[in-house]
Amino acid sequence: MRRSIKIERYDQPAGGWGSVKSLMRHIPGNGVAFSGPPILAKQNKPEGFSCVSCAWAKPARPHAAEFCENGAKATAWELTSSRTTPEFFARHTVSELLEWSDHDLEAEGRLTHPMRYDPTSDRYVPVTWDEAFAEIGGELRRLRSHDPKSAVFYTSGRASLETSYAYQLMARLYGNNNLPDSSNMCHESTSVGLKASIGVPVGTVHLDDFNKTDAIFFFGQNVGSNSPRMLHDLQEASRRGVPIVTFNPLPERGLIEFVNPQSPVEMLTNNATRISSDYHKVRAGGDIAAIAGIAKALVALDDEAKAQGAKEVLDWPFIEQHTHGALEFIAWVRDLAWDDIERNSGLERQGLEEAAAVYARADRVILIYGMGLTQHRLGVENVRMLVNLALLRGNVGKLGAGLCPVRGHSNVQGQRTVGIADNPDLVPLDRLGEQHGFEPPRERGLDTIATCEGVIDGSVRAFIGLGGNFVRAVPDKSRIEPAWRKLDLSVQIATKLNRSHLVTGKTTFLLPCLGRIEIDRQRTGPQAVTIEDSLTCIHASRGQREPASPHLLSELKIVAEIAKASLPANPQVDWDAWVDDYSLVRDAIEQTFPDDFADFNRRMWEPGGFPRPLAARGRVWETDSGKANFLVPDDLDASFAKDAGEGVMRLITLRSNDQFNTTVYGYHDRFRGVDGTRDVLFMNRKDIDRLGLRDGGTATLVTAVDDGSDRRLGGLRIVEYDIPEGCCGAYYPEANVLIPLDHHARESHVPAAKSVPVRIEAG
Ligand SMILES: Nc1nc2c(c(=O)[nH]1)N[C@H]1C(S)=C(S)[C@@H](COP(=O)(O)OP(=O)(O)OC[C@H]3O[C@@H](n4cnc5c(=O)[nH]c(N)nc54)[C@H](O)[C@@H]3O)O[C@H]1N2
Ligand SMILES: Nc1nc2c(c(=O)[nH]1)N[C@H]1C(S)=C(S)[C@@H](COP(=O)(O)OP(=O)(O)OC[C@H]3O[C@@H](n4cnc5c(=O)[nH]c(N)nc54)[C@H](O)[C@@H]3O)O[C@H]1N2
Ligand SMILES: [Mo]
């Protein structure tokens, strides 16, 4: 379908009438069975359902409408009245569907029947659930007898704690820790980085801290599109006069100003609240240098204060009592040259000194971050560097202060909490084994990158996907897709059709499941599930809508049936009882993780959720040194583009305001002024001129890596944009073809999606 394209600078606040208009495009008339208010009124409420979009906290005292533009879009997308039926699959071959866009595939609506791929007709054909489970079980049993490590169990971060717990148990009973999940492409740099620095793999901030903070430092997260409900917390902080100091290469509207669409007064007067008080357009990959500059300026302020007999700027009592490695870190910072800091960060000394002055004046600082830090070669070091900054003034384990990684999928953090981890050290395997009567595998499993490598080299034979769009979300499409076709078994548990379902293996099943908004009826009645939000609070969620099709099964039921069909009988795991009554799974979770889940079945109903205990909040450091660690990075530049040579640009892969990961709701990136297309390349005016290109002209991106693969993405319309020189931006997942598989964060293996080295060719 041809769409008319409009590119126009957008300078309205986030929220406001723009969000209402954007929402209306996705509600009635659009094939959406959506009686707006009644269902939305239950969103993120104690007795309602947890939003299927982002993981931001759900307050104990919710607003009348506790949803945002994008949360409402996600709800509408799941509740669509369109259906992807067996008749649809009869009309279209898989080869034909492979030519469809991500948007058009999912826009066909909810999957209704279990389907099996038939290579002879190149079509999906209906299959009964019993046949599907029997065949999947047979194939998994056969593979297990050769090599129990040849199957992989992927999760996208949406499945509930109950399903996730059952799923990790299935993988371990099968005989491996091959549990990659979407966080391997996302906040794994956080899990690795924070664990080494402060002894917990998650953020330390609770919602209440926002009311007490004196300053917020905000790195590489696009709140306006990706966690809009957080804008309420930022707005309240801003109104109290709290400075918000932002580091982001792009002028993201949600980080600039906000009109609360739920406030009639603000809407009528268009009275916007400023969000960022200072905005530093750091170069992609330049955060280590930027933070080093702030730290250097803080050390200088501390020296000055000492010389004048004034109050010290660094929190020395905290540093001495609670940290390790401070002196080495401070010595490293002192030795850095401002020239190097400026060149690597793309920022000027004066701006960094001003940021340091704001930081020094505030007693309690919250440090927020997202993919702009984690998706780099030095993504883990980026996270540690932010911790170093926090530790200099004791901003961990103090009311109103702490680290706040903003998680992606609504339960991605919780999945890790209940054992979805390729690293078995993170799971109490002894207890798990004793509880369920087996000897858990101890060898490290495959993460997302290792899974891709295993698919390419043929050692991975089977892939089970609990949600998500693996093939589309990972790097290096041109290498992954052909290799995928050699898999013996590909099983995709999903709500909507996507590209991963079309890149088939030798045997391929597409199994449709209930979404979280739907009523999940089992033998003991409708079931509730639980999820953990970004701020480590665990909530109940109860489905509200009739299922999209009578043939759907719950995710837990599907996992249980696959487990029963593929594993040897085990009298200590009663899968059927778990499916009948999910509270029994919660009892099992409580038994495996007694500290986190004490009294789980009762506390899940607490308004606002119940927080997991976090040692670092109480300044107990579960690290190697027993202290919070200052860790010195070995490079100021976090990116792969560092040594890529003359003329190489840093490509930032971006989400639009009209997508949730690979789910493309539409073609309108309102905040960046792009309408009708996703095939754009954001460039700085000077780079456009220097390369002899033209605003509105067409360009091809070519990955600047000489490894024998030609990676390119053409047909992009050049859009002049306020982006640092030497950086450019294009949308994910389209740009994933450009990312080499081995370009990932060194320690966490998160693909380095925020500064891909590219050359730009005209045409
Ligand atoms: N509506 C909606 N909500 C979502 C999602 C969605 O796709 N749509 N996705 C969900 C998921 S899974 C996740 S992980 C989160 C993702 O949410 P974010 O963490 O916000 O991820 P991105 O949208 O990739 O944007 C990262 C931001 O980092 C900036 N950036 C890029 N490179 C750098 C850098 O080197 N340094 C700094 N300081 N900044 C940089 C970019 O300009 C951008 O503003 O959102 C979740 N919520
Ligand atoms: N270049 C680049 N690549 C990236 C990123 C980037 O910023 N740049 N971001 C990365 C990040 S942060 C992430 S998290 C990954 C995302 O990777 P994934 O989590 O694998 O992908 P999603 O797009 O979230 O998955 C969407 C699909 O999930 C299915 N689904 C939706 N709801 C449900 C449900 O309730 N149950 C089940 N079973 N299925 C459901 C639907 O079929 C839908 O098509 O992508 C990563 N890839
Ligand atoms: Mo994510």
Side-chain angles (χ1 to χ4, degrees):
M1 186 181 53
R2 282 194 74 80
R3 293 174 300 271
S4 68
I5 296 177
K6 200 161 94 195
I7 313 274
E8 202 172 54
R9 202 185 132 97
Y10 188 84
D11 51 13
Q12 296 299 306
W17 290 108
S19 72
V20 174
K21 270 196 250 162
S22 167
L23 189 53
M24 292 325 283
R25 291 176 178 225
H26 295 270
I27 295 184
N30 234 354
V32 177
F34 195 64
S35 50
I39 190 77
L40 285 174
K42 303 269 188 189
Q43 190 150 327
N44 298 323
K45 296 292 177 57
E47 268 288 336
F49 69 94
S50 287
C51 180
V52 294
S53 191
C54 82
W56 189 244
K58 288 86 190 153
R61 274 172 278 104
H63 305 91
E66 190 57 43
F67 60 88
C68 67
E69 168 190 345
N70 279 339
K73 275 188 212 167
T75 302
W77 196 250
E78 183 166 314
L79 295 183
T80 172
S81 58
S82 305
R83 298 287 180 267
T84 310
T85 58
E87 294 71 46
F88 168 85
F89 286 112
R91 279 198 305 276
H92 304 284
T93 63
V94 165
S95 309
E96 180 200 335
L97 294 172
L98 274 167
E99 303 297 314
W100 288 29
S101 69
D102 299 304
H103 170 268
D104 292 353
L105 289 173
E106 284 211 28
E108 282 301 316
R110 292 287 299 279
L111 297 163
T112 58
H113 286 70
M115 307 295 285
R116 184 187 195 288
Y117 177 63
D118 169 33
T120 319
S121 64
D122 187 27
R123 283 182 170 82
Y124 269 106
V125 294
V127 55
T128 66
W129 282 107
D130 287 346
E131 284 163 348
F133 293 134
E135 195 173 341
I136 293 166
E139 201 50 23
L140 283 174
R141 281 199 309 274
R142 183 183 69 76
L143 289 169
R144 186 172 188 262
S145 67
H146 294 291
D147 177 8
K149 291 198 272 301
S150 61
V152 164
F153 301 87
Y154 173 70
T155 0
S156 163
R158 219 177 270 201
S160 65
L161 293 173
E162 292 78 0
T163 306
S164 303
Y165 180 81
Y167 196 65
Q168 61 83 33
L169 181 62
M170 168 166 78
R172 296 194 162 107
L173 286 165
Y174 190 80
N176 67 50
N177 288 300
N178 293 343
L179 288 157
D181 87 348
S182 57
S183 79
N184 290 146
M185 300 176 247
C186 182
H187 268 293
E188 191 63 20
S189 302
T190 293
S191 308
V192 175
L194 291 185
K195 184 84 186 89
S197 292
I198 57 169
V200 293
V202 294
T204 65
V205 167
H206 285 172
L207 215 44
D208 282 351
D209 290 312
F210 279 81
N211 308 326
K212 315 244 163 42
T213 194
D214 301 321
I216 295 174
F217 275 61
F218 209 111
F219 287 80
Q221 203 273 340
N222 185 13
V223 58
S225 290
N226 297 338
S227 50
R229 286 183 303 107
M230 192 211 282
L231 282 169
H232 296 288
D233 304 298
L234 297 176
Q235 183 182 40
E236 279 161 30
S238 165
R239 286 203 177 127
R240 285 196 295 116
V242 168
I244 300 177
V245 182
T246 294
F247 291 81
N248 195 310
L250 303 182
E252 304 284 29
R253 291 305 310 166
L255 285 162
I256 295 172
E257 51 184 2
F258 173 57
V259 170
N260 182 352
Q262 298 177 16
S263 155
V265 175
E266 284 177 44
M267 290 295 275
L268 287 173
T269 56
N270 202 25
N271 186 3
T273 309
R274 68 93 184 143
I275 298 295
S276 298
S277 50
D278 305 276
Y279 210 109
H280 301 275
K281 294 201 183 112
V282 63
R283 180 162 90 127
D287 300 273
I288 293 177
I291 299 169
I294 301 173
K296 188 174 174 72
L298 281 176
V299 169
L301 289 173
D302 191 63
D303 290 345
E304 237 172 77
K306 279 199 186 106
Q308 292 168 3
K311 187 167 178 282
E312 287 167 336
V313 170
L314 304 187
D315 186 345
W316 286 104
F318 173 83
I319 291 173
E320 275 154 25
Q321 190 188 341
H322 287 289
T323 71
H324 177 264
L327 296 184
E328 290 92 312
F329 176 73
I330 290 171
W332 175 74
V333 159
R334 280 188 200 281
D335 278 354
L336 289 174
W338 275 109
D339 277 358
D340 287 337
I341 291 174
E342 291 189 327
R343 197 180 58 256
N344 284 289
S345 65
L347 299 172
E348 287 179 8
R349 173 176 177 171
Q350 194 191 340
L352 294 171
E353 286 177 338
E354 282 163 14
V358 174
Y359 189 75
R361 277 197 297 274
D363 282 335
R364 301 155 194 278
V365 180
I366 293 179
L367 301 116
I368 303 177
Y369 68 93
M371 297 300 100
L373 291 196
T374 63
Q375 294 178 331
H376 280 291
R377 179 180 64 107
L378 299 190
V380 173
E381 288 80 349
N382 267 336
V383 171
R384 289 187 185 145
M385 197 63 194
L386 199 63
V387 177
N388 292 337
L389 179 62
L391 296 180
L392 283 175
R393 284 184 45 81
N395 277 314
V396 186
K398 170 159 88 178
L399 220 58
L403 292 147
C404 181
V406 186
R407 297 278 169 166
H409 274 294
S410 48
N411 194 32
V412 65
Q413 185 166 310
Q415 297 186 331
R416 195 46 64 78
T417 304
V418 296
I420 301 273
D422 55 278
N423 179 359
D425 297 345
L426 302 177
V427 186
L429 288 185
D430 291 339
R431 209 176 300 136
L432 193 70
E434 204 177 306
Q435 189 179 340
H436 300 294
F438 76 117
E439 184 45 55
R442 306 273 159 172
E443 198 179 317
R444 191 161 184 145
L446 303 179
D447 59 15
T448 291
I449 292 291
T451 297
C452 293
E453 288 164 352
V455 170
I456 290 171
D457 72 22
S459 56
V460 169
R461 306 300 325 146
F463 179 94
I464 319 292
L466 179 56
N469 189 357
F470 188 87
V471 169
R472 193 69 173 134
V474 299
D476 242 350
K477 173 171 179 247
S478 59
R479 293 176 65 212
I480 298 296
E481 291 197 356
W484 203 265
R485 299 184 182 284
K486 302 198 190 103
L487 284 178
D488 288 324
L489 178 67
S490 177
V491 178
Q492 304 279 354
I493 304 164
T495 51
K496 293 219 176 165
L497 184 61
N498 66 45
R499 190 168 178 93
S500 295
H501 311 152
L502 303 171
V503 182
T504 50
K506 289 181 196 147
T507 302
T508 307
F509 285 94
L510 179 49
L511 307 181
C513 64
L514 292 173
R516 194 190 294 146
I517 308 173
E518 288 164 326
I519 302 169
D520 181 354
R521 292 190 184 86
Q522 302 296 345
R523 209 185 298 266
T524 58
Q527 304 294 310
V529 295
T530 48
I531 60 134
E532 175 180 333
D533 68 31
S534 211
L535 306 187
T536 56
C537 287
I538 292 161
H539 310 253
S541 172
R542 212 187 251 299
Q544 307 286 330
R545 270 308 181 96
E546 281 305 317
S549 146
H551 306 287
L552 303 184
L553 296 183
S554 77
E555 290 180 320
L556 183 61
K557 168 82 173 163
I558 296 173
V559 170
E561 291 299 330
I562 294 177
K564 279 162 51 189
S566 55
L567 299 173
N570 176 338
Q572 275 175 258
V573 188
D574 188 344
W575 299 99
D576 291 332
W578 281 4
V579 174
D580 288 347
D581 180 356
Y582 293 8
S583 73
L584 299 178
V585 189
R586 290 188 285 274
D587 287 340
I589 295 175
E590 181 173 343
Q591 208 183 329
T592 313
F593 306 94
D595 298 339
D596 287 333
F597 291 98
D599 204 6
F600 189 9
N601 272 304
R602 185 185 62 78
R603 286 203 298 158
M604 64 192 263
W605 297 107
E606 280 176 19
F610 68 90
R612 287 203 290 127
L614 269 190
R617 266 182 80 81
R619 295 195 166 172
V620 173
W621 315 103
E622 294 174 344
T623 59
D624 293 354
S625 65
K627 305 250 170 153
N629 290 317
F630 279 92
L631 294 163
V632 175
D634 52 26
D635 202 331
L636 281 182
D637 189 323
S639 115
F640 274 103
K642 182 174 139 50
D643 303 313
E646 270 298 286
V648 172
M649 310 266 295
R650 294 167 184 228
L651 170 70
I652 305 172
T653 61
L654 291 165
R655 292 168 161 76
S656 85
N657 182 246
D658 227 1
Q659 77 183 79
F660 190 93
N661 299 336
T662 68
T663 294
V664 175
Y665 303 127
Y667 291 83
H668 190 45
D669 193 4
R670 173 162 60 90
F671 293 139
R672 302 200 185 99
V674 174
D675 192 15
T677 180
R678 293 175 51 84
D679 302 324
V680 293
L681 177 63
F682 298 106
M683 289 183 74
N684 183 293
R685 170 89 256 161
K686 289 197 181 136
D687 289 321
I688 296 178
D689 292 345
R690 185 172 54 82
L691 297 172
L693 302 167
R694 176 175 70 73
D695 183 19
T698 315
T700 296
L701 288 173
V702 185
T703 307
V705 171
D706 200 7
D707 64 356
S709 289
D710 182 37
R711 301 179 181 85
R712 53 181 64 229
L713 177 66
L716 299 174
R717 177 187 171 123
I718 296 169
V719 174
E720 181 191 333
Y721 206 73
D722 181 2
I723 183 170
E725 256 184 279
C727 299
C728 57
Y731 291 121
Y732 138 71
E734 290 82 347
N736 287 30
V737 285
L738 296 165
I739 308 178
L741 190 57
D742 60 1
H743 276 211
H744 52 69
R746 280 193 315 197
E747 288 184 56
S748 64
H749 299 183
V750 170
K754 292 295 182 268
S755 65
V756 188
V758 290
R759 291 182 197 284
I760 302 177
E761 294 174 358

